[in-house]
Amino acid sequence: MYVTSLSLSNYRNYQSLTLDLCQGTNIFYGNNGQGKTNILEALFLCAIGKSFRYAKSGDLVLNGADRFKVSVEITEDITEQIDISYTRKEEKIIRVNGLCLRKLGHLMGNLMAVIFSPEDLQLVNEGPAVRRRMMDIAISQIKASHYFNLTQYNKTLSQKNALLRNCGLKGKKTALDMLDVYNEQLADSGAKIIARRMQFIQLLSQFAKEKHKEIASNEDLEIFYQTDAIPEGFSSENVADIKEAFYQILCQKKEKEIDRMQSIVGIHRDDMDLKLNGSDLKRFGSQGQKRTAVLSMKLAELGILEKSTGRKPILLLDDVFSELDGLRQESLLKSIANFQTFITCTEVSELPNELLKNARCFFVNSGSVVL
């Protein structure tokens, strides 16, 4: 799978842009603030339906305009087109081959993408939400049902939290009865999410460990799944077993949740535990070690998507080569050789010569792109 063309209309700082892209490496270079990352963001938008920069749809519209449109053409066995449009007065509209998708989850898997940027160091340094997002985006591209389970879980969680905030008005007995209903629904969708996350983290730990050994042979990277939704040491990956275990924990916490007026247990608190040579990476790892771990995780994500689907995702590298030393650059080059890759940088001279041999280079300046 690879992207053959990209078109933008009133997107970020691009009034109009159409690019023909090569199957190998596409490099976008120029000064900072000219719109290089916006191109990568548009490609990611067509894969996931959302920006990797946490931007709202309205933030993506060109100043002075009231709408944007992004289109990509992708080729595998057949050619497909993805169109995403948005107007300030209407919902986002997503079309695949002209057919309007009713739900965002139906977009997942049509175009798979992995993004790697300097901000991804947050995967180590920031809180659990960043790591959960990375997990869930990857899993949803493999199985769109994961996205729908997350949507259902979050909807139920929101309803449960509203009940907990207002349980004094309803009376404790009524609140307890209603909590049983919500907890049953949370256990049902949550068990499916847990099972997928457990499987993904097992693969991520395996693939990332191998990649990490290539870069730092004397270091051992391990990744563990952390959740308070099932008992510690629980090992079954059977969804029915997970559901029962999760439901029992939810039932045990009902009184405490009513007292605190909020949900205190569930998959919305899940995390990844990153260990380097047995020690907590966030607390004890150097900047170089953290950077190597994140690179290993991103390359692992790339491999997992291909292994799980039999299709190659595209790779988006936003100004990362300047952050990597020679050994890390070499490892990255080795791993991306057979993937369509999109790279941003300020100077082409920053990049390894090997990367430039069969690359197509685009100069970006103030919302215009020149080949």
Side-chain angles (χ1 to χ4, degrees), residues 212-282:
H212 199 275
K213 282 289 186 185
E214 294 175 6
I215 308 171
S217 57
N218 63 333
E219 294 179 348
D220 189 26
L221 176 66
E222 295 177 287
I223 305 172
F224 301 95
Y225 177 46
Q226 288 187 326
T227 182
D228 61 8
I230 51 178
E232 189 174 350
F234 185 92
S235 59
S236 175
E237 293 185 8
N238 180 278
V239 173
D241 293 341
I242 297 171
K243 178 180 176 180
E244 179 60 26
F246 187 13
Y247 182 69
Q248 291 303 320
I249 287 180
L250 288 168
C251 289
Q252 293 166 15
K253 301 293 184 181
K254 283 195 298 185
E255 295 277 356
K256 191 172 287 187
E257 288 184 331
I258 288 175
D259 291 340
R260 295 190 184 180
M261 301 175 66
Q262 63 178 351
S263 177
I264 61 173
V265 63
I267 61 99
H268 54 288
R269 297 157 55 91
D270 285 359
D271 198 1
M272 290 187 229
D273 186 16
L274 307 177
K275 300 284 189 185
L276 191 65
N277 294 335
S279 298
D280 182 66
L281 180 61
K282 180 177 181 177

Side-chain angles (χ1 to χ4, degrees), residues 126-181:
E126 295 298 318
V130 177
R131 292 180 285 278
R132 282 197 304 272
R133 186 173 189 262
M134 179 261 187
M135 262 196 294
D136 290 329
I137 287 176
I139 299 169
S140 295
Q141 292 188 84
I142 297 168
K143 289 286 184 181
S145 58
H146 185 76
Y147 177 85
F148 291 113
N149 289 328
L150 283 167
T151 301
Q152 181 58 52
Y153 181 92
N154 289 328
K155 179 181 178 182
T156 305
L157 181 66
S158 178
Q159 293 169 338
K160 176 182 173 179
N161 282 331
L163 169 66
L164 289 168
R165 286 193 299 269
N166 297 291
C167 62
L169 301 174
K170 297 179 180 296
K172 192 167 185 178
K173 184 180 184 308
T174 302
L176 284 168
D177 291 341
M178 293 179 69
L179 277 178
D180 284 335
V181 176

Side-chain angles (χ1 to χ4, degrees), residues 202-216:
Q202 286 175 2
L203 283 174
L204 185 68
S205 186
Q206 175 191 333
F207 278 58
K209 181 192 286 276
E210 294 170 0
K211 293 295 180 184
H212 199 275
K213 282 289 186 185
E214 294 175 6
I215 308 171

